[in-house]
């Protein structure tokens, strides 16, 4: 209801603005909105692809270093000259031979390191009375292997560590290291230690990930963090935080995890702060949003130009329409000098005259038709009623003592006088009195329990209603519902909207609601006795066009016919809008 009032109160100016915005700006905004959603998703996918690609590059760099160290360890273990010199170091009887062996080892290892820049700090060590001792000269600052907590993974005789700080004298930089054990029958167990090349791990980062303040971690095959670029957030030597559906939360801050797993069990995992990730995508998307805003602005400017170019003629058109819709039939129509609008105004003026003429003719015909139908029905109702009543009188006279005939005839006389009055309308109080007299007559023949329950104020009982409105419904209840025995009661009340409700209950055979609907929809009178429900509905329609209601239903073990009509007095009746 509010929407209808608002819509019909819109001015032409407002309608034009709404239509122009709806037809030009709004579709563009919708297209931009859904396109932006798709573009945003593409940006997310592209960003995820960039992150995954950079993660793969980092993993590839580590794999390259690890493969180089594995290959180098294999070369060193199969180099017979080198292993022979190692054995000479332990088995030679004189110092000169040992020195020669150490010199060969230093030169040969230098050749290997120069040939492969990914390799550095190749050292052979062994335990001498429990103390780890270097065999060859190398840049290893001291004979010390990485702690067990730095272990990355283990494969056969090879153990990988790191990333961790180098053991070299050259400086402090991150490396990946390899430890391999060599065993000879006539020497102590020899340990081969290899580190990745000088500062090969310093580029363990990526531009996009650095822009997002990502945290780089390397996780061992046991699930512990052996390297973290931010140990204050993700400490080393602890298990990696578990990820959920929305990512992982560390110190109450959400992160998006990305991981690559190696076949040896270790993994490279990156954690990107969710808010920085979203900000990064929004920064990428801002260009599209600027284009969208520019296109929307241009569209709005075009709409305003169109609106201004046609608003003046439309305003004049509206003023002319107001004149046409006014009471003045001879109102002058001003020229707008827009051919289409002028033609429409002329058509509207002619249509107004024709419609007024047609409406007047239809009203006259409908009034005459309604009066004829009611007269026809009344001519059928009165003889029918007299026949039934006299039949009851005949039965009663033959079955009862004549001392009660006076009361019966008195009620009959009053009822006949009420029903045969020429005035088509009466009051609800008079109609209820007539029903009471009718029931009094029928109770002489039938075992009927009847009462009227009224919850209305006394003045409202003086509301006007069609004559003979309730008697057909009560008669149907007696003869078709109760079959002469049972209870009938009438309940009158005032509804919240100010209308009057009249309900007729009986505890007889339940009514066939569908049959009643078919009777009401039928153009012909198909009632069994030729009168009844259709007469009631036609009388209501004639008295209160579209302002009444007629309902039929079964309520519990009772049948109910309800009539809802407006309060009427002196030819005026209250509609919904008056309540």
């Amino acid at each position: 209801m509010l929407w209808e009032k608002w819509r019909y109160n819109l001015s032409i100016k407002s309608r034009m603005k709404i239509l122009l915005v709806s037809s030009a700006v709004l579709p563009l905004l919708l297209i931009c909105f859904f396109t932006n959603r798709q573009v945003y998703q593409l940006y997310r996918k592209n960003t995820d692809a960039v992150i995954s690609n950079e993660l793969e590059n980092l993993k590839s760099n580590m794999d390259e270093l690890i493969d180089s160290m594995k290959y180098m360890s294999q070369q060193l273990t199969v180099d017979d000259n080198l292993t022979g010199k190692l054995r000479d170091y332990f088995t030679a009887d004189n110092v000169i031979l040992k020195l020669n062996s150490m010199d060969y080892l230093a030169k040969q290892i230098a050749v290997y390191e120069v040939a492969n820049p990914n390799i550095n700090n190749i050292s052979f060590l062994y335990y001498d009375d429990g103390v780890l001792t270097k065999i060859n000269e190398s840049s290893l600052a001291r004979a010390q292997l990485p702690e067990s907590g730095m272990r990355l993974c283990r494969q056969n005789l090879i153990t990988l560590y790191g990333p961790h700080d180098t053991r070299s004298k050259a400086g402090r930089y991150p490396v990946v290291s390899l430890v391999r054990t060599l065993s000879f029958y006539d020497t102590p167990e020899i340990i081969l230690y290899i580190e990745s090349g000088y500062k090969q791990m310093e580029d363990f980062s990526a531009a996009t990930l650095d822009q997002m303040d990502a945290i780089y971690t390397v996780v061992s095959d046991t699930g512990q963090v052996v390297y973290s670029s931010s140990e204050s957030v993700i400490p080393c030597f602890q298990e990696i935080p578990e990820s959920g559906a929305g990512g992982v939360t560390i110190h109450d801050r959400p992160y998006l995890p990305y991981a690559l797993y190696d076949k040896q069990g270790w993994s490279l995992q990156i954690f990107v702060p969710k808010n920085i990730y979203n900000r990064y995508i929004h920064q990428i998307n801002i260009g599209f949003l600027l284009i969208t805003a520019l296109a929307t602005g241009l569209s709005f400017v075009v709409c305003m130009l169109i609106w201004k170019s046609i608003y003046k003629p439309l305003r004049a058109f509206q003023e002319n329409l107001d004149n046409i819709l006014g009471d003045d039939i001879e109102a002058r129509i001003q020229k707008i000098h827009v051919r289409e609008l002028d033609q429409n105004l002329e058509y509207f003026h002619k249509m107004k005259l024709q419609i007024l003429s047609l409406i007047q003719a239809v009203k006259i015909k409908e009034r005459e038709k309604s009066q004829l139908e009611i007269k026809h029905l009344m001519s059928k109702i009165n003889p029918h009623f007299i026949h039934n009543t006299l039949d009851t009188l005949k039965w009663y006279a033959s079955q009862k003592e004549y001392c009660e005939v006076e009361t019966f005839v008195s009620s009959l006389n009053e009822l006949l006088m009420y029903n045969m009055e020429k005035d088509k309308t009466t009051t609800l109080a008079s109609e209820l009195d007539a029903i009471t007299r009718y029931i009094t007559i029928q109770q002489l023949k039938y075992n009927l329990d009847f009462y009227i329950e009224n919850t209305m104020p006394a003045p409202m009982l003086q509301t006007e209603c069609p004559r003979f409105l309730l008697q057909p419904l009560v008669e149907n209840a007696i003869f078709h519902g109760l079959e002469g025995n049972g209870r009938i009661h009438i309940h009158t009340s005032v509804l919240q909207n100010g209308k009057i409700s009249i309900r007729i209950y009986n505890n007889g055979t339940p009514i066939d609601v569908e049959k009643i609907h078919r009777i009401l929809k039928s153009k012909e009178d198909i009632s069994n006795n030729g009168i009844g429900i259709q007469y009631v509905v036609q009388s209501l329609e004639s008295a209160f066009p579209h302002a009444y209601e007629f309902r039929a239903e079964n309520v519990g073990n009772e049948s109910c016919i309800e009539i809802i009509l407006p309060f009427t007095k002196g030819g005026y009746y209250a509609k919904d809008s008056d309540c």
Side-chain angles (χ1 to χ4, degrees):
M1 182 65 71
L2 292 176
W3 160 249
E4 290 295 326
K5 289 182 179 179
W6 179 79
R7 184 166 63 91
Y8 285 113
N9 288 332
L10 284 177
S11 63
I12 294 177
K13 181 179 179 181
S14 299
R15 288 174 182 269
M16 285 297 301
K17 287 181 178 179
I18 293 174
L19 289 174
L20 286 173
V21 172
S22 300
S23 61
V25 178
L26 187 59
L28 180 61
L29 288 175
L30 290 175
I31 292 173
C32 292
F33 173 74
F34 289 109
T35 303
N36 183 64
R37 287 176 61 89
Q38 296 299 321
V39 171
Y40 186 79
Q41 293 299 325
L42 290 176
Y43 285 150
R44 288 183 65 94
K45 291 180 180 178
N46 182 64
T47 303
D48 289 340
V50 170
I51 293 175
S52 298
N53 184 60
E54 293 191 348
L55 187 62
E56 289 177 359
N57 290 337
L58 294 174
K59 174 71 165 49
S60 178
N61 291 338
M62 281 195 64
D63 288 339
E64 183 178 355
L65 294 177
I66 291 172
D67 290 341
S68 296
M69 289 189 294
K70 287 182 178 179
Y71 179 72
M72 180 59 65
S73 70
Q74 186 67 24
Q75 280 188 310
L76 292 173
T77 55
V78 298
D79 188 336
D80 292 337
N81 292 330
L82 190 143
T83 56
K85 293 298 181 182
L86 284 173
R87 295 177 64 188
D88 290 343
Y89 175 82
F90 288 101
T91 59
D93 294 333
N94 56 66
V95 177
I96 295 175
L97 192 57
K98 285 188 176 185
L99 292 175
N100 289 336
S101 298
M102 293 176 62
D103 183 61
Y104 177 83
L105 288 173
K107 292 180 180 179
Q108 190 64 24
I109 289 173
V111 171
Y112 280 120
E113 289 180 350
V114 171
N116 193 339
N118 290 336
I119 301 300
N120 191 29
N121 208 8
I122 301 175
S123 303
F124 289 97
L125 305 98
Y126 75 101
Y127 283 98
D128 185 9
D129 293 332
V131 178
L132 192 63
T133 306
K134 287 198 301 182
I135 298 176
N136 62 300
E137 287 294 330
S138 67
S139 59
L140 193 66
R142 60 184 182 277
Q144 183 181 2
L145 296 177
E147 292 83 358
S148 59
M150 297 180 182
R151 196 192 85 173
L152 183 63
C153 65
R154 182 176 180 83
Q155 181 182 7
N156 298 327
L157 300 176
I158 295 175
T159 303
L160 294 171
Y161 294 88
H164 59 81
D165 287 339
T166 180
R167 300 293 189 268
S168 174
K169 303 174 186 177
R172 184 186 177 96
Y173 54 90
V175 296
V176 178
S177 60
L178 177 147
V179 174
R180 181 168 183 166
T181 302
L182 304 177
S183 297
F184 301 102
Y185 68 93
D186 53 353
T187 66
E189 186 176 69
I190 300 173
I191 300 172
L192 172 62
Y193 177 79
I194 304 176
E195 286 185 355
S196 56
Y198 178 67
K199 295 189 177 182
Q200 290 290 326
M201 288 291 295
E202 282 203 338
D203 293 333
F204 191 66
S205 64
T208 302
L209 293 174
D210 290 341
Q211 291 178 15
M212 296 184 185
D213 198 18
I215 299 175
Y216 305 81
T217 63
V218 179
V219 183
S220 69
D221 56 357
T222 61
Q224 286 191 337
V225 177
V226 296
Y227 173 81
S228 173
S229 63
S230 179
E231 292 197 35
S232 61
V233 179
I234 303 177
C236 289
F237 314 124
Q238 294 186 9
E239 292 186 356
I240 202 74
E242 294 185 3
S243 300
V248 60
T249 301
I250 305 173
H251 299 320
D252 298 326
R253 187 179 185 185
Y255 289 82
L256 296 176
Y258 298 84
L260 278 179
Y261 292 89
D262 189 79
K263 60 184 178 179
Q264 301 302 326
W266 66 275
S267 61
L268 179 60
Q269 301 191 29
I270 306 296
F271 295 87
V272 179
K274 198 169 185 178
N275 60 329
I276 298 178
Y277 174 88
N278 292 331
R279 190 190 312 154
Y280 177 82
I281 295 177
H282 291 156
Q283 290 174 351
I284 298 176
N285 197 38
I286 195 169
F288 179 82
L289 293 178
L290 289 174
I291 296 173
T292 299
L294 179 61
T296 304
L298 290 175
S299 178
F300 183 77
V301 170
V302 172
C303 289
M304 293 299 296
L305 293 175
I306 295 174
W307 171 71
K308 288 184 178 180
S309 66
I310 63 177
Y311 174 63
K312 186 176 180 180
L314 286 178
R315 187 173 182 180
F317 183 78
Q318 180 185 9
E319 293 175 354
N320 281 310
L321 283 180
D322 291 338
N323 292 332
I324 292 175
L325 296 175
D327 296 332
D328 187 3
I329 299 178
E330 301 299 331
R332 295 184 60 186
I333 306 302
Q334 298 179 356
K335 291 288 184 179
I336 302 177
H337 304 295
V338 177
R339 184 176 61 182
E340 292 82 359
L341 297 181
D342 287 336
Q343 288 178 349
N344 286 332
L345 287 173
E346 185 179 351
Y347 292 152
F348 287 146
H349 187 64
K350 291 180 179 178
M351 287 172 59
K352 175 185 178 180
L353 299 177
Q354 293 176 358
I355 290 171
L356 290 174
S357 176
L358 290 173
I359 289 174
Q360 189 64 27
V362 169
K363 285 183 177 179
I364 294 173
K365 289 182 180 180
E366 288 294 328
R367 191 180 303 115
E368 292 174 351
K369 180 180 177 182
S370 177
Q371 292 174 353
L372 289 174
E373 289 178 349
I374 293 176
K375 287 180 180 179
H376 175 68
L377 288 171
M378 287 295 294
S379 66
K380 294 169 62 178
I381 290 170
N382 287 329
H384 169 77
F385 166 71
I386 294 171
H387 172 77
N388 287 341
T389 305
L390 293 177
D391 181 67
T392 301
L393 177 60
K394 177 182 177 181
W395 176 87
Y396 178 74
S398 64
Q399 296 293 328
K400 299 291 182 178
E401 298 294 333
Y402 289 101
C403 60
E404 299 179 3
V405 172
E406 182 179 358
T407 302
F408 177 82
V409 172
S410 176
S411 297
L412 175 62
N413 183 43
E414 292 177 3
L415 191 58
L416 288 175
M417 291 297 293
Y418 173 78
N419 282 302
M420 291 183 178
E421 287 183 7
K422 293 182 179 180
D423 192 356
K424 299 175 184 176
T425 60
T426 183
T427 64
L428 179 58
S430 298
E431 186 70 10
L432 293 174
D433 289 341
I435 285 298
T436 302
R437 290 192 291 270
Y438 174 74
I439 292 293
T440 300
I441 295 172
Q442 295 299 333
Q443 284 176 331
L444 297 174
K445 179 180 179 180
Y446 300 110
N447 182 22
L448 298 175
D449 180 14
F450 171 77
Y451 64 95
I452 296 175
E453 180 183 358
N454 176 45
T455 61
M456 294 169 46
M460 294 199 72
L461 289 173
Q462 301 305 313
T463 183
E464 297 175 358
C465 66
R467 188 178 299 277
F468 210 68
L469 181 67
L470 303 180
Q471 189 168 318
L473 302 177
V474 173
E475 185 175 331
N476 284 341
I478 294 173
F479 294 113
H480 302 296
L482 300 175
E483 297 181 354
N485 295 283
R487 181 178 67 253
I488 296 177
H489 72 274
I490 299 176
H491 180 268
T492 60
S493 62
V494 180
L495 302 179
Q496 290 184 353
N497 61 4
K499 290 189 175 182
I500 296 172
S501 170
I502 306 170
R503 286 176 164 258
I504 303 171
Y505 295 91
N506 74 83
N507 62 348
T509 304
I511 59 176
D512 188 342
V513 178
E514 294 297 328
K515 181 178 180 181
I516 290 178
H517 288 170
R518 291 196 300 271
I519 291 174
L520 295 179
K521 290 180 181 179
S522 175
K523 295 182 180 179
E524 302 295 333
D525 194 337
I526 60 173
S527 302
N528 292 336
N529 50 16
I531 61 173
I533 292 176
Q534 284 186 322
Y535 162 75
V536 174
V537 174
Q538 289 179 4
S539 298
L540 290 170
E541 179 64 29
S542 178
F544 317 108
H546 308 296
Y548 73 94
E549 295 182 45
F550 185 93
R551 300 173 181 170
E553 59 182 344
N554 292 302
V555 182
N557 59 352
E558 291 185 311
S559 299
C560 175
I561 299 292
E562 181 181 20
I563 297 173
I564 298 176
L565 47 84
F567 178 79
T568 310
K569 194 69 176 175
Y572 168 81
Y573 66 89
K575 300 181 181 179
D576 288 343
S577 59
D578 300 325
C579 300

